[in-house]
Amino acid sequence: MAQTDTVTRILDTAEVLFAERGFAETSLRTITSKARVNLAAVNYHFGSKKALIQAVFSRYLDPFTVRFHHALDELEAQHAGAVIPLEQLLETMARTVLEVPAEKHSLKVFMKLLGLAYSQAQGHLRRHIQEEYGSVFTRFTDLVRRATPELPDAERFWRLHFVLGTVIFTLSGLDALRDIAEKDYHEHVSVRDLIRRLRPVVVAAMNAPLPPPPAAQPAKAS
Amino acid sequence: MAQTDTVTRILDTAEVLFAERGFAETSLRTITSKARVNLAAVNYHFGSKKALIQAVFSRYLDPFTVRFHHALDELEAQHAGAVIPLEQLLETMARTVLEVPAEKHSLKVFMKLLGLAYSQAQGHLRRHIQEEYGSVFTRFTDLVRRATPELPDAERFWRLHFVLGTVIFTLSGLDALRDIAEKDYHEHVSVRDLIRRLRPVVVAAMNAPLPPPPAAQPAKAS
DNA sequence: TCCCACTGAAAACAACTGTTTTAAACATTA
DNA sequence: TAATGTTTAAAACAGTTGTTTTCAGTGGGA
């Protein structure tokens, strides 16, 4: 209990501070003093600051991948080899993302961390996430491919990242946006409200008409 | 010429380094040594590192706002009070974004900086941008409101930020995504390619069907 | 000619960073 | 009991950070 307590206290404090300020802007002394543990405890338990950062992510992503694999297993069993509709795939992902942090941590923090991983990670974090959790993403995209056979592979790749950008950007910047929205339209927006609004937009984005071909545009016009 | 040379050399170097590594991870010594200017020159010309960061943004955003206002002036004159279609509004914005950095700087750098401003800026940068350049955004959103009268105000607010997230996320993480895309689908993707792919997706997202009403869900079920 | 803004090199400043070490206590388990 | 792993305290480490200062030159405009 003693060990667990210190380790989780560090993780709980670190994830909040990381989400608020970013990785480089959060010092180990800030974390340890706010968590009321010894400065040396971080290097004792985790080895380094980089390892701490990765541990913070693993605490979210490990249970997420387990649950998501299970959810996809069920979904595939239900459809018995048939193609799973895109809406159900997105629905399953959304539900899993909502379930995991709901247990103890904050969804907002989880999304902020994901946003940071994309924008701030020089190398080690993005590499760590890709190597450790890339397989779930690959399984998901394979199912999406079968659900959208009319889309060229490259087009689907980009559109998945388009909607990924929408979700991460919106949910990671939620606090600031919510303040504006509540002041201007005085209606409270919960995360589940946002996901309700997100669903038709994401589906429409994935099903948008194909763009016109590149239309050879260089100097010599026809 | 002597003055201008040092100032622009600092700005040119700083914007690239900021875009590559972020603000906190880029030291003044790295900037000045790479720009082959004196370390003290930054504080001499700009006053502080924060002011340098704001100056980097102003060099992009000042000409952008000027051009965008002009483009909207023309657009409004063309339509003589009539409603401007959403596609043309988005088209105009995209064209302006493409024009500004094209002169001398890199569009990729510009987008990375925008992404950083959203994800990394604790306070001073976001406040600076909001206060300095908020009016153009307001004018644009007003025109969008008239172009999409069927959308409730709150819905339009969120959808605009959804697509903003798509664009910033995609274009600011362009390098990493491009590496994956080129390896998997071996086709080179230029920024203009991406914008061509972005257009139908953004339009479809804005025109998506309205989400179902909140559907009172609380504890006491019916 | 004098002046002033600019540039350069160098050093110092105080503050903060991640990390390591030493010491002494505490708990649990073998 | 003895041993082991955990926690704390405190200090020191070497390095980096933004900022300031000093001194010495440079150039062009009044």
Side-chain angles (χ1 to χ4, degrees):
Chain A
M1 162 184 164
Q3 168 196 358
T4 308
D5 204 41
T6 299
V7 170
T8 59
R9 198 121 45 89
I10 292 175
L11 288 173
D12 287 342
T13 313
E15 73 175 23
V16 172
L17 291 175
F18 284 156
E20 283 177 355
R21 330 178 174 187
F23 304 123
E25 294 85 350
T26 306
S27 71
L28 293 183
R29 284 173 177 79
T30 308
I31 297 173
T32 52
S33 71
K34 195 152 197 167
R36 283 174 301 119
V37 301
N38 197 313
L39 168 62
V42 169
N43 286 282
Y44 177 80
H45 286 288
F46 299 94
S48 69
K49 188 182 180 180
K50 284 187 180 180
L52 207 212
I53 297 176
Q54 297 183 355
V56 166
F57 275 85
S58 295
R59 200 163 59 138
Y60 276 105
L61 292 182
D62 284 343
F64 172 79
T65 51
V66 172
R67 281 170 186 266
F68 197 41
H69 270 304
H70 283 162
L72 291 182
D73 288 343
E74 286 186 21
L75 208 56
E76 285 191 307
Q78 282 178 19
H79 289 79
V83 174
I84 306 172
L86 177 65
E87 282 82 354
Q88 292 199 32
L89 288 172
L90 299 174
E91 192 68 36
T92 301
M93 167 159 252
R95 201 175 342 110
T96 311
V97 170
L98 284 178
E99 277 174 10
V100 174
E103 302 181 344
K104 187 164 186 188
H105 326 299
S106 149
L107 174 62
K108 179 189 77 182
V109 170
F110 182 37
M111 283 298 157
K112 277 228 161 182
L113 290 175
L114 277 186
L116 284 181
Y118 261 87
S119 68
Q120 277 204 281
Q122 291 309 339
H124 78 98
L125 223 196
R126 186 140 43 192
R127 234 176 295 126
H128 171 250
I129 292 181
Q130 170 66 26
E131 290 170 359
E132 213 80 357
Y133 309 100
S135 61
V136 215
F137 191 67
T138 303
R139 181 181 179 189
F140 180 71
T141 54
D142 281 345
L143 291 173
V144 171
R145 176 185 305 127
R146 298 176 53 194
T148 55
E150 72 286 354
L151 277 184
D153 281 356
E155 190 67 30
R156 181 172 37 244
F157 167 85
W158 285 110
R159 293 195 176 182
L160 273 177
H161 282 90
F162 292 164
V163 306
L164 188 65
T166 296
V167 174
I168 290 185
F169 181 86
T170 307
L171 268 51
S172 74
L174 184 61
D175 285 345
L177 294 178
R178 175 150 48 190
D179 286 348
I180 307 175
E182 290 188 5
K183 195 176 56 178
D184 289 6
Y185 315 110
H186 40 76
E187 57 175 83
H188 179 74
V189 234
S190 70
V191 175
R192 275 158 188 81
D193 269 343
L194 259 191
I195 293 190
R196 180 179 56 86
R197 294 184 193 273
L198 234 14
R199 188 190 347 243
V201 172
V202 167
V203 171
M206 290 298 296
N207 291 325
L210 289 179
Q217 58 144 24
K220 39 189 72 176
S222 70
Chain B
M1 162 184 164
Q3 167 199 357
T4 308
D5 204 43
T6 299
V7 170
T8 60
R9 198 122 45 90
I10 292 175
L11 288 172
D12 288 342
T13 312
E15 70 174 27
V16 173
L17 291 175
F18 285 154
E20 283 176 355
R21 329 177 176 186
F23 304 123
E25 294 85 350
T26 305
S27 71
L28 293 182
R29 283 173 178 80
T30 308
I31 297 173
T32 52
S33 72
K34 195 152 198 168
R36 283 175 299 118
V37 301
N38 198 313
L39 168 62
V42 169
N43 287 283
Y44 178 80
H45 286 288
F46 298 94
S48 68
K49 187 182 180 180
K50 284 187 181 180
L52 206 214
I53 297 176
Q54 297 183 356
V56 166
F57 275 85
S58 294
R59 200 164 59 139
Y60 277 106
L61 292 181
D62 283 344
F64 171 79
T65 51
V66 171
R67 281 171 187 265
F68 197 42
H69 269 304
H70 282 162
L72 291 181
D73 288 344
E74 285 187 20
L75 209 55
E76 286 191 306
Q78 282 177 20
H79 289 79
V83 173
I84 307 171
L86 177 64
E87 282 82 354
Q88 292 199 30
L89 288 171
L90 298 173
E91 192 67 37
T92 301
M93 167 158 252
R95 200 173 345 108
T96 311
V97 171
L98 284 177
E99 277 175 10
V100 174
E103 302 181 345
K104 186 165 187 187
H105 326 299
S106 150
L107 175 62
K108 179 189 78 183
V109 170
F110 182 37
M111 282 299 157
K112 277 229 160 181
L113 290 176
L114 276 187
L116 284 181
Y118 261 89
S119 68
Q120 277 203 281
Q122 289 309 339
H124 78 98
L125 223 195
R126 186 139 43 190
R127 234 176 294 126
H128 172 250
I129 291 181
Q130 172 65 25
E131 289 170 0
E132 214 77 1
Y133 309 99
S135 62
V136 217
F137 190 67
T138 302
R139 180 180 180 188
F140 180 72
T141 53
D142 281 346
L143 290 173
V144 172
R145 177 185 306 128
R146 297 175 53 194
T148 55
E150 72 286 354
L151 277 184
D153 281 356
E155 190 67 31
R156 179 173 39 243
F157 168 85
W158 285 111
R159 292 194 176 181
L160 273 177
H161 282 91
F162 292 164
V163 306
L164 188 64
T166 295
V167 174
I168 289 186
F169 180 86
T170 307
L171 268 51
S172 74
L174 184 62
D175 285 346
L177 295 178
R178 176 151 46 191
D179 286 348
I180 308 174
E182 288 187 6
K183 195 175 55 176
D184 289 5
Y185 315 110
H186 39 76
E187 57 176 83
H188 179 75
V189 235
S190 70
V191 175
R192 274 157 189 82
D193 270 343
L194 259 191
I195 292 189
R196 181 180 54 85
R197 294 185 193 272
L198 233 14
R199 187 189 350 241
V201 172
V202 167
V203 172
M206 291 297 295
N207 291 326
L210 289 179
Q217 58 146 21
K220 39 190 71 178
S222 68

